[in-house]
Amino acid sequence: VAGQRADARRNYERLLHVAAEAVAAEGADASLEQIARTAGVGSATVRRHFPTRHALLEAVFHEHIESLCAHAHTLEEAPDPRAALLDYLTAIVSAAASIRGLGEALNRGRAAGEYCATDRLTRAGQPLMRRAGLAPGVTLDDLLTLVTGIALATERHQDPAAASSRLLALSLDGFGPRR
Amino acid sequence: VAGQRADARRNYERLLHVAAEAVAAEGADASLEQIARTAGVGSATVRRHFPTRHALLEAVFHEHIESLCAHAHTLEEAPDPRAALLDYLTAIVSAAASIRGLGEALNRGRAAGEYCATDRLTRAGQPLMRRAGLAPGVTLDDLLTLVTGIALATERHQDPAAASSRLLALSLDGFGPRR
């Protein structure tokens, strides 16, 4: 039984590895059938591990999201709360603009209405948000929606990390001249 | 010959109509084969009229874009230049967030490196941009990238027009508290 469990674990890890490579090459809409073929398993096995595309994307990007959340925790005591929040959001936007499929995964995750990567990022960012203070009525969800949008709109730019960070900073400061 | 030209024109218009319905139903990635089948033509005919998906999306959204450009022209003499620019950008963002496939068409058009809808929107917006004055270093291209991103990130919201307009206004004013 222990051997079977170890086999199942190896199969899952192999499938996840293949899925991650497919998403890196083709984006969030990578073919599930192709992933099954490359991994040498049936599509029923893929569906058992990843019942929905949302589940597959969450698994593929799990470690990226965890590392962004860990980054948020290291910023909780930073001396400049506004800079700390910008640092966190910049880390998210440049990852989402640069890592193929991640921006789209964040965008669709919320629409799926399940607990998702965006919820984890929100929870990790709340302490930074509370310390930074923002314009009245602005929520962290607003900021993450903006971050996701900027990532999607800059992922085809020459330098997505730089382009997305620049637009994010402009949005936080305001594009318009001060009234 | 005149009859043949009229026939060709009718075929094109029928194909465009079918393409528009397919994009409205399935988004920017609507199947070209399905469009050919529904229109009762071969896929060579589709390719002759629309050599690339970009060309098809440009044709489908041509009138929407023209009407946004016309809106920009009506705003050129508006008494409040900043409000006029916000009005124009809000019209774009709510259209792009609400009309299925339009946000994605704007996002990909620029990547295609051809003259595209975004270029037309930029040209039409230049006079408004010059009058409004923006933060140093900000270009209309920055604003249209932001608008496209906000549209993509809000198109699955309950009220995409309202959500996108709100985020746009927040970005122009700045999300952060004034320093």
Side-chain angles (χ1 to χ4, degrees):
Chain A
V1 170
Q4 279 177 7
R5 269 204 301 266
D7 274 0
R9 180 83 211 159
R10 268 194 299 275
N11 285 342
Y12 172 79
E13 274 165 11
R14 169 156 170 72
L15 188 55
L16 184 57
H17 179 76
V18 169
E21 292 204 326
V23 170
E26 295 162 54
D29 284 315
S31 154
L32 299 180
E33 285 163 29
Q34 184 59 53
I35 290 171
R37 265 198 301 275
T38 308
V41 300
S43 55
T45 304
V46 176
R47 270 198 304 278
R48 187 155 39 81
H49 287 298
F50 309 116
T52 62
R53 182 173 294 275
H54 173 231
L56 181 132
L57 293 171
E58 290 279 321
V60 161
F61 292 119
H62 186 81
E63 282 178 36
H64 285 118
I65 300 296
E66 287 311 300
S67 120
L68 288 166
C69 293
H71 186 56
H73 298 320
T74 68
L75 291 164
E76 284 176 14
E77 315 281 319
D80 179 343
R82 190 189 156 92
L85 180 63
L86 180 61
D87 184 328
Y88 177 51
L89 296 173
T90 302
I92 300 173
V93 87
S94 34
S98 312
I99 299 170
R100 186 92 196 269
L102 177 53
E104 199 50 47
L106 292 178
N107 200 27
R108 296 188 196 173
R110 206 173 336 200
E114 299 165 39
Y115 187 70
C116 67
T118 305
D119 296 318
R120 299 216 304 287
L121 293 174
T122 303
R123 191 171 296 183
Q126 288 295 359
L128 306 181
M129 167 92 185
R130 273 194 295 272
R131 285 181 72 214
L134 287 173
V138 173
T139 66
L140 188 50
D141 195 61
D142 290 332
L143 288 176
L144 288 175
T145 303
L146 182 78
V147 158
T148 302
I150 289 176
L152 292 172
T154 54
E155 64 185 6
R156 291 183 180 83
H157 283 225
Q158 274 206 311
D159 183 345
S164 62
S165 308
R166 178 169 167 273
L167 279 185
L168 173 66
L170 283 170
S171 305
L172 290 181
D173 277 348
F175 274 86
R178 296 287 162 270
R179 273 190 272 214
Chain B
V1 171
Q4 279 176 6
R5 270 204 300 265
D7 275 358
R9 179 86 211 157
R10 268 194 300 274
N11 285 342
Y12 173 79
E13 274 165 10
R14 168 156 170 70
L15 189 54
L16 184 58
H17 179 76
V18 168
E21 292 204 325
V23 170
E26 294 162 55
D29 283 315
S31 155
L32 299 180
E33 285 164 29
Q34 184 59 51
I35 290 171
R37 266 198 300 274
T38 307
V41 300
S43 57
T45 304
V46 177
R47 270 198 303 279
R48 186 156 39 79
H49 287 298
F50 309 116
T52 61
R53 182 174 294 274
H54 173 232
L56 180 133
L57 292 172
E58 290 279 320
V60 161
F61 292 119
H62 186 82
E63 282 178 37
H64 284 118
I65 300 296
E66 287 311 299
S67 121
L68 288 166
C69 293
H71 185 57
H73 299 320
T74 68
L75 291 164
E76 283 176 13
E77 315 282 320
D80 179 345
R82 190 189 155 90
L85 180 63
L86 179 61
D87 184 329
Y88 177 52
L89 296 173
T90 302
I92 301 173
V93 86
S94 32
S98 312
I99 299 169
R100 186 91 197 268
L102 178 52
E104 199 49 47
L106 292 178
N107 200 26
R108 295 189 198 174
R110 206 176 334 202
E114 299 166 37
Y115 186 69
C116 68
T118 304
D119 296 318
R120 299 218 302 289
L121 293 174
T122 303
R123 192 172 295 182
Q126 288 295 359
L128 306 181
M129 166 92 186
R130 274 194 295 272
R131 286 180 73 215
L134 287 174
V138 173
T139 66
L140 188 49
D141 196 60
D142 290 331
L143 287 177
L144 288 174
T145 303
L146 182 77
V147 158
T148 303
I150 289 175
L152 292 172
T154 54
E155 65 186 4
R156 290 183 181 84
H157 283 225
Q158 274 207 311
D159 183 345
S164 61
S165 308
R166 178 169 168 274
L167 278 185
L168 174 65
L170 284 170
S171 305
L172 290 182
D173 278 347
F175 274 86
R178 297 286 163 269
R179 274 189 274 213

